[in-house]
Amino acid sequence: MNITLALLNIGIINHSPFIQVPQISKSSTFLLSNSKLIRSTTNFFYSTNSLRFQYNFAHSQFLYFLKTPLTISTSETITKNNEIFHTTLEHYSSNLTVTNCQFINIISDKPGAAIHLDSKDTEFSISRNLFDICRCKGKGGAIYAIMNHMDCQYNCFHLCKCGKENGNDGSTIYAFSKIGIDTKFLACNECPKHGDQCWYGIVILCNGAL
């Protein structure tokens, strides 16, 4: 699957995700640029692809979502004929890049209101983005990321918060990397660090083996 979208201006996305990538897709490339997505009750982009992918989101706005706009979650469990079984999948290095985007008024009942990434072999690059009023009930108010490596530069967070229950850490970011996380200029304004609005921590960056 190779898709490039530009200059989208879409309001009200309901039911199924606008773009959905299946679990096994040998090579998957997606580019979104210069677009505006408004008022959605579901994900804009949802991928469970366990193999190689290149996803790039640039110069776009995601406004008033009731589910995480960008969700990438790989799994080694496949459901077929009402039976669940595990299969050995060949994993490749993949990339997720989010640049010069705005995520405003995003609410999610799962970790990471704006971006949810659960893909241990992925290179995650995020730079020059605004996260304003991004709130979830789990870890990582705006961003939840489990990946290989993360490069986070010049990102701003305002009024973001995570869940209140024990273990829901990181009112802006909860990130767990296998090999390392590089950060440069991270601005967090009015994002709680603990107390009655979140469990603990404004930014949680971890490095090691899960």
Side-chain angles (χ1 to χ4, degrees), residues 56-129:
N56 194 322
F57 301 86
H59 301 280
S60 296
Q61 295 178 300
F62 301 86
L63 313 175
Y64 302 100
F65 273 67
L66 295 179
K67 278 192 177 180
T68 303
L70 309 182
T71 297
I72 296 93
S73 182
T74 63
S75 172
E76 293 189 357
T77 302
I78 298 176
T79 303
K80 183 178 181 181
N81 297 328
N82 297 321
E83 296 180 358
I84 298 178
F85 61 97
H86 291 269
T87 184
T88 301
L89 296 174
E90 184 180 4
H91 288 270
Y92 298 91
S93 176
S94 298
N95 293 278
L96 170 63
T97 302
V98 183
T99 308
N100 288 303
C101 290
Q102 296 180 6
F103 298 84
I104 300 173
N105 273 294
I106 312 293
I107 299 173
S108 176
D109 58 358
K110 295 184 178 180
I115 301 171
H116 179 103
L117 172 63
D118 187 355
S119 182
K120 297 178 182 178
D121 297 309
T122 296
E123 302 295 310
F124 182 29
S125 177
I126 180 167
S127 61
R128 303 182 186 279
N129 300 286

Side-chain angles (χ1 to χ4, degrees), residues 29 37 39 42 45 55 60 69 73 80 120 122 152 169 185 205 209:
T29 301
L37 298 311
R39 295 185 179 86
T42 187
F45 184 87
Y55 301 149
S60 296
S73 182
K80 183 178 181 181
K120 297 178 182 178
T122 296
C152 178
D169 302 328
F185 189 80
L205 305 176

Side-chain angles (χ1 to χ4, degrees), residues 132-152:
D132 186 17
I133 316 177
C134 295
R135 300 176 177 182
C136 74
K137 294 183 179 179
K139 298 180 179 180
I143 300 171
Y144 173 87
I146 297 177
M147 68 288 149
N148 185 53
H149 176 262
M150 180 178 182
D151 185 16
C152 178

Side-chain angles (χ1 to χ4, degrees), residues 4 95 188 190:
T4 298
N95 293 278
C188 305
E190 298 186 73

Side-chain angles (χ1 to χ4, degrees), residues 142-163:
I143 300 171
Y144 173 87
I146 297 177
M147 68 288 149
N148 185 53
H149 176 262
M150 180 178 182
D151 185 16
C152 178
Q153 298 189 31
Y154 301 103
N155 296 292
C156 296
F157 300 83
H158 177 243
L159 290 172
C160 298
K161 67 179 182 179
C162 57

